[in-house]
Each structure stands twice: as structure tokens, then as C-alpha cells.
């Protein structure tokens, strides 16, 4: 299956029977990110978290303790 990175427009080929390909086929709102973009985002997020200026707000589901 050919996929296109939503950030850098790089076209890659992934296995058509992989879980990621199935997710992309069944849920069109999901977007694909190449490994390079994914690593870049995770590195920068870790840098912001280490700086102390980054606040991660809990989602609505995390607030409820049933």
C-alpha cells in the first residue's frame, strides 16, 4: 500500500496487511506520518517537556475516576 506523509509529503510503501494499513483504510480521518517526522516530533516534545515550560493537560476521560 502506498501512503503519503501528511507533514513532508514523502511517499512510502507499507505492507497492505499491516495494522497501520488497516487503520488507514477503515478510518479516513487517520493520517500517516513517516518515521522521520514522527521521531522529530517526539524529540521536540521531549525537549519542551524537559524545559519545564510545557504543560500537558489531562483529557476529560482521565479526570473521571469511576
Amino acid at each position: 500500500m502506498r501512503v503519503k506523509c501528511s507533514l513532508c509529503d514523502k511517499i512510502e510503501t507499507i505492507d497492505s496487511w499491516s495494522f497501520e494499513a488497516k487503520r488507514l483504510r477503515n478510518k479516513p480521518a487517520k493520517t500517516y506520518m513517516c518515521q522521520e517526522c514522527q521521531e522529530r516530533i517526539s524529540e521536540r516534545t521531549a525537549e519542551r517537556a524537559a524545559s519545564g515550560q510545557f504543560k500537558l493537560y489531562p483529557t476529560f476521560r482521565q479526570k473521571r475516576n469511576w
Side-chain angles (χ1 to χ4, degrees), residues 15 29 44-45 54:
D15 183 30
R44 290 187 180 181
T45 303
F54 182 68

Side-chain angles (χ1 to χ4, degrees), residues 16-43:
S16 296
W17 299 105
S18 67
F19 179 70
E20 191 172 16
K22 181 179 178 182
R23 187 183 315 148
L24 289 169
R25 276 193 306 270
N26 292 336
K27 296 183 180 181
K30 295 280 186 187
T31 58
Y32 176 79
M33 264 196 305
C34 65
Q35 191 65 31
E36 295 170 7
C37 291
Q38 199 167 15
E39 289 174 5
R40 186 182 76 229
I41 289 173
S42 60
E43 287 174 6

Side-chain angles (χ1 to χ4, degrees), residues 5-20:
C5 178
S6 59
L7 298 177
C8 65
D9 295 332
K10 180 179 175 182
I11 297 175
E12 292 184 350
T13 304
I14 61 172
D15 183 30
S16 296
W17 299 105
S18 67
F19 179 70
E20 191 172 16

